Amino acid sequence: MAEKFDVVIVGGGIFGCSVAYQICRMSNLNVALVERGAIATQTTALAASVVTRGRSALPQIELVLETFAAIGDLESRLGESLNFNAVGSLHVARSKQSAETFAAQAELLKQTGDAPCELTIAQARKLTPWLELDQAECIFHNPADGFVDPYRLASAYLQGARAHGGLSIFQETSVSQLETNNRNVTGVMTDKGFLAADQVVVTAGPWANLLLRPLGSASAMTPVRSHYWITEPNQIYPAHSPVMILPEANAYTRPENGSLLFGLRDQTGKWAHPSELPVDLQGFSFDEDYEGWEALQQSVEPFMEVCPSLAD
């Protein structure tokens, strides 16, 4: 399978697909995207898919805005909707520190043309009647935020890249190592042969350092566990409920087909060495708490203070 490309992208999650789209959109380069399983079925498919613009630094906000711009561009080019759920977001601060953080983010967002605003508790209750807000220090609302199906977005990136031409996709193809000559990359070795390239982009997520470390260029990252749960359907959670950011509860929420999806951070983070990760993350557990009940018990109390309906 020895072939020559200008760029090989290793990893077919949402980052790899978006990189392919941007390269094909802005150049005439010959690009290969290599994924050892099926496109966007690992960490991308498991994401909670919340897309919020508020960040602590302007460059980070500008990166998020690129995603929003890409969604609009893809919908225009493909002639179909990606069903971005523009439900907005509420950032609920219950401490002065969080209030200051959200206020600073709002000022940065205004520099980009966004219109975040501070709401009264009464105004916020109209959007989220199921939330307990009496202890809120401040509440910021950004109507531009929302959530999107990550698999759908990744697939749209690939559709957009293909529409520009110059993209070859290799699924069920595993990259074993990056090949170099005098510290210059020459391509990638796969289980189906060598793919030559002058440039290689590694977007392999938590597996990336398995390829980068042998070259002495590993990234400072580690795979960590993240939990989210989905309640039973309940009419108290309207389908248009905004995304909620709740820092004091270490939680976020969003609507999910008449239910409430909520994510909680571990009090003590669980992590794994990249070499311990299987090819397929479905069914993989970082420890004995496979279903996350221990993490839920540890973190649910402060969350229930703002979301008492969870008791039901």
Side-chain angles (χ1 to χ4, degrees):
M1 193 183 71
E3 296 186 54
K4 178 70 169 68
F5 297 92
D6 297 307
V7 183
V8 168
I9 302 167
V10 182
I14 197 163
F15 286 117
C17 293
S18 64
V19 169
Y21 168 69
Q22 297 293 355
I23 293 176
C24 291
R25 182 177 68 89
M26 296 187 293
S27 74
N28 294 317
L29 296 178
N30 192 16
V31 181
L33 178 67
V34 186
E35 165 57 45
R36 67 179 175 182
I39 293 294
T41 57
Q42 293 304 309
T43 55
T44 293
L46 298 173
S49 62
V50 170
V51 189
T52 57
R53 300 150 86 101
R55 296 292 188 275
S56 58
L58 198 56
Q60 293 175 318
I61 293 175
E62 289 170 344
L63 282 173
V64 179
L65 293 180
E66 284 291 328
T67 298
F68 281 87
I71 290 173
D73 182 62
L74 286 167
E75 288 181 329
S76 175
R77 291 178 182 276
L78 301 177
E80 57 186 270
S81 172
L82 299 188
N83 298 318
F84 177 75
N85 298 274
V87 294
S89 68
L90 285 185
H91 297 246
V92 180
R94 302 182 82 201
S95 69
K96 289 185 178 180
Q97 181 179 358
S98 292
E100 291 172 356
T101 297
F102 290 154
Q105 289 181 2
E107 289 304 311
L108 289 175
L109 283 169
K110 289 176 183 177
Q111 295 179 32
T112 68
D114 268 19
C117 61
E118 187 172 354
L119 300 185
T120 66
I121 290 177
Q123 289 172 324
R125 280 196 179 122
K126 291 181 180 180
L127 297 174
T128 55
W130 46 271
L131 210 64
E132 172 53 59
L133 298 169
D134 286 343
Q135 302 302 315
E137 187 82 19
C138 73
I139 304 168
F140 280 95
H141 177 235
N142 191 350
D145 291 341
F147 62 97
V148 66
D149 181 272
Y151 180 83
R152 179 71 187 92
L153 179 54
S155 299
Y157 276 131
L158 280 194
Q159 285 180 267
R162 280 174 158 163
H164 287 283
L167 178 65
S168 299
I169 301 173
F170 299 89
Q171 298 188 75
E172 305 296 337
T173 303
S174 179
V175 174
S176 57
Q177 65 184 40
L178 309 184
E179 298 287 350
T180 61
N181 183 18
N182 295 326
R183 298 189 62 81
N184 292 321
V185 69
T186 59
V188 301
M189 182 58 69
T190 80
D191 58 352
K192 297 178 182 176
F194 180 66
L195 297 178
D198 298 324
Q199 300 180 74
V200 174
V201 183
V202 180
T203 56
W207 298 275
N209 281 338
L210 297 178
L211 296 173
L212 297 173
R213 190 174 182 182
L215 302 181
S217 60
S219 300
M221 65 175 183
T222 190
V224 295
R225 184 173 71 177
S226 177
H227 288 296
Y228 66 78
W229 292 264
I230 302 174
T231 69
E232 291 182 343
N234 193 316
Q235 62 182 4
I236 66 172
Y237 305 126
H240 59 271
S241 296
V243 170
M244 302 293 304
I245 307 298
L246 305 162
E248 277 68 46
N250 283 327
Y252 62 86
T253 75
R254 69 163 176 82
E256 174 66 19
N257 295 324
S259 303
L260 185 72
L261 181 150
F262 64 96
L264 300 172
R265 296 193 188 98
D266 284 314
Q267 290 187 0
T268 302
K270 304 295 183 181
W271 61 277
H273 192 278
S275 63
E276 298 173 1
L277 299 179
V279 172
D280 188 346
L281 288 178
Q282 300 292 337
F284 174 71
S285 177
F286 279 73
D287 61 10
E288 293 78 15
D289 184 24
Y290 170 67
E291 294 184 334
W293 292 114
E294 291 178 14
L296 180 60
Q297 291 171 354
Q298 291 171 0
S299 305
V300 75
E301 201 167 305
F303 180 54
M304 287 185 65
E305 290 179 6
V306 292
C307 187
S309 63
L310 197 68
D312 299 327

